Amino acid sequence: MKVHYMNGAGNDFMVLDARGRNLNFPQLANELCKLTDADGFMALDHSDTADFRLHFYNSDGSRGEMCGNGARCICRYAYELGLVGEKMVIQTDAGLVPGTRISQDIYRVQLNVPSILDLHRTSDAAYVELGNPGVPHSVTEIPGLCWEQREQLRSFAKEMRFHSAFPKGANANFYTWLSDDSIRILTYERGVEDYTLACGTGSGATAAALWAAGKVPSGVLLVKNPGGDLKITVEGHGEAITALFLEGPTEIVNVYEI
């Protein structure tokens, strides 16, 4: 069985074709992610409602509702397997996710819109859930944030990850403004229980919160993650977000036989 090692802006995954196979996904997630210290595991499967099904697991074996960079990577995986054309739809636990091949390396997915968007959940953070059931995120501004501050912020990141105000826990996103239309971000992810080089849903949730606060009037935000840049496009009217797009690079790093 072939396992592809992929990354999207540094957010890395072990990916396999599970169609027609009876596999223990939590066990595989735990074992395969240890081979490369990957953030997550993805299995492509049959779907009755979309082009294919995404089963996503964090590196600790816990199931995740959805993963933005993972969805972009599995779009490329499905395209290169010849399963889909340049447009596709993924079935995820958080809902259907349309994907588009922009170029050989660049893929875009339409993230699930927020089912919860609370700009004042705590004194420090907004709270956003993308999809239903939603992927939970806290969003906190840290003026002057540098990625080198990750250890200095670690205890605060863990506090936000397990904060009692977030019923399912949360991915903790910290950001600072770089210009009117770009931010630097650092994300501490649940299930990984550490910082990751990028978080697609975290970038999307942060952009959604900033758009709802009236701080992204153009609807387009460049999000600089430690592993690479992601482009978020927010569409909406009034206070309602009607569409949320995540675009960025993908890479096939290696292929393993197991």
Side-chain angles (χ1 to χ4, degrees):
M1 182 166 58
K2 290 184 178 180
V3 179
H4 284 61
Y5 177 42
M6 304 184 69
N7 82 73
N11 201 186
D12 55 350
F13 313 97
M14 303 298 278
V15 187
L16 59 77
D17 184 355
R19 293 174 299 164
R21 294 187 169 113
N22 184 17
L23 301 172
N24 185 327
F25 292 148
Q27 180 180 339
L28 279 171
N30 191 275
E31 293 177 354
L32 292 178
C33 288
K34 287 178 180 176
L35 293 176
T36 57
D37 197 27
D39 298 323
F41 163 80
M42 297 189 294
L44 182 149
D45 205 351
H46 293 295
S47 171
D48 294 329
T49 59
D51 291 306
F52 56 90
R53 178 85 161 91
L54 166 61
H55 300 284
F56 179 80
Y57 287 81
N58 298 299
S59 59
D60 66 356
S62 62
R63 190 171 179 103
E65 296 89 351
M66 216 283 281
C67 175
N69 286 322
R72 292 191 309 100
C73 285
I74 209 163
C75 283
R76 178 172 178 176
Y77 179 71
Y79 178 84
E80 299 206 0
L81 283 179
L83 298 179
V84 294
E86 295 195 341
K87 291 188 177 294
M88 62 212 79
V89 178
I90 313 163
Q91 180 188 354
T92 78
D93 288 0
L96 296 179
V97 174
T100 304
R101 180 181 187 263
I102 306 299
S103 68
Q104 179 178 346
D105 299 327
I106 304 298
Y107 280 75
R108 180 177 64 222
V109 294
Q110 183 173 349
L111 297 172
N112 309 104
V113 297
S115 55
I116 299 174
L117 203 170
D118 183 349
L119 295 179
H120 306 289
R121 177 60 64 94
T122 76
S123 59
D124 295 306
Y127 178 69
V128 182
E129 287 194 18
L130 298 182
N132 188 16
V135 183
H137 288 275
S138 68
V139 178
T140 304
E141 182 176 8
I142 306 288
L145 171 71
C146 296
W147 295 318
E148 291 77 12
Q149 292 175 277
R150 53 172 54 87
E151 293 308 317
Q152 177 185 339
L153 290 167
R154 185 174 291 274
S155 61
F156 182 46
K158 289 182 179 180
E159 177 186 339
M160 300 308 288
R161 157 70 179 91
F162 294 102
H163 200 292
S164 60
F166 312 138
K168 299 192 293 185
N171 299 285
N173 300 279
F174 305 132
Y175 75 92
T176 189
W177 288 98
L178 298 176
S179 69
D180 290 343
D181 57 4
S182 67
I183 61 172
R184 177 183 294 127
I185 195 169
L186 181 64
T187 302
Y188 187 95
E189 291 200 42
R190 63 174 189 155
V192 179
E193 306 310 332
D194 204 348
Y195 297 110
T196 54
L197 292 178
C199 178
T201 56
S203 295
T206 301
L210 294 175
W211 181 89
K215 297 179 180 179
V216 188
S218 70
V220 179
L221 186 68
L222 178 65
V223 182
K224 290 186 170 291
N225 289 264
D229 295 349
L230 297 170
K231 176 184 173 183
I232 308 295
T233 303
V234 188
E235 296 178 358
H237 53 79
E239 297 181 355
I241 293 174
T242 55
L244 189 62
F245 298 92
L246 167 69
E247 181 178 324
T250 64
E251 181 183 12
I252 299 174
V253 182
N254 206 345
V255 181
Y256 297 89
E257 289 280 356
I258 64 168

